[in-house]
Amino acid sequence: FIFSSVMRIVLGYLFLYNATIVLIQATEVIEIFYDVLALQFVQQLDDIAFVLAKKDVLGVSMRKACTSKCFQTEFDKNQFKRNKKMSIFLKAVYFINLGCILAAMSIVTTKQVKGDYQCSSITVDFGSEIW
């Protein structure tokens, strides 16, 4: 349980890192739009493949894999009430994560207010065409 929670946090940070890299490398807004559009297309292909597998179009083994239950047991809802140290540790991890995100957001916000991210010059190229 702890490993899966930590991996979810790491996955969230990797997503934010990936989104930042995409935004940094893009020279135009349309490139960001195309990247998001491509991701949406791949996600829709995944959804369509799952629906087809569920309807037995892709074979019996795929239908069984899409409709069978993954877990055969239910988890105890009160498992962390018995272990007080584990409960405190998990809460601390989530609050540290929240604190880091809020600190980063406040740093970026104060820099925006100061004008650190505003451009200092604009270059306009009209080309050589005559209207």
Side-chain angles (χ1 to χ4, degrees):
F1 176 76
I2 295 170
F3 181 71
S4 67
S5 296
V6 170
M7 290 308 294
R8 286 182 186 175
I9 291 172
V10 169
L11 185 65
Y13 280 126
L14 287 175
F15 171 77
L16 291 175
Y17 177 74
N18 185 25
T20 304
I21 294 299
V22 166
L23 289 175
I24 289 172
Q25 75 171 357
T27 57
E28 297 178 9
V29 177
I30 195 75
E31 290 180 12
I32 299 170
F33 175 73
Y34 286 149
D35 288 338
V36 172
L37 188 65
L39 182 62
Q40 177 69 22
F41 176 72
V42 171
Q43 182 180 3
Q44 284 182 348
L45 284 179
D46 180 53
D47 292 341
I48 290 169
F50 184 77
V51 169
L52 289 176
K54 226 171 139 178
K55 291 184 178 184
D56 201 15
V57 175
L58 301 177
V60 178
S61 62
M62 290 294 285
R63 181 183 52 83
K64 286 181 182 178
C66 291
T67 57
S68 66
K69 293 183 180 180
C70 295
F71 298 104
Q72 300 296 326
T73 183
E74 290 187 23
F75 295 108
D76 185 18
K77 293 181 181 178
N78 298 325
Q79 70 184 21
F80 289 115
K81 286 186 179 179
R82 290 177 272 165
N83 193 349
K84 195 75 167 167
K85 290 181 182 179
M86 185 62 65
S87 177
I88 292 171
F89 172 73
L90 288 176
K91 288 178 184 177
V93 167
Y94 285 117
F95 279 117
I96 289 171
N97 187 33
L98 176 67
C100 291
I101 290 173
L102 289 177
M105 188 175 79
S106 65
I107 290 170
V108 169
T109 302
T110 55
K111 285 188 173 188
Q112 281 179 336
V113 170
K114 290 179 184 177
D116 289 347
Y117 300 121
Q118 293 179 355
C119 63
S120 60
S121 66
I122 296 175
T123 304
V124 179
D125 184 17
F126 290 110
S128 62
E129 292 184 18
I130 299 175
W131 293 38

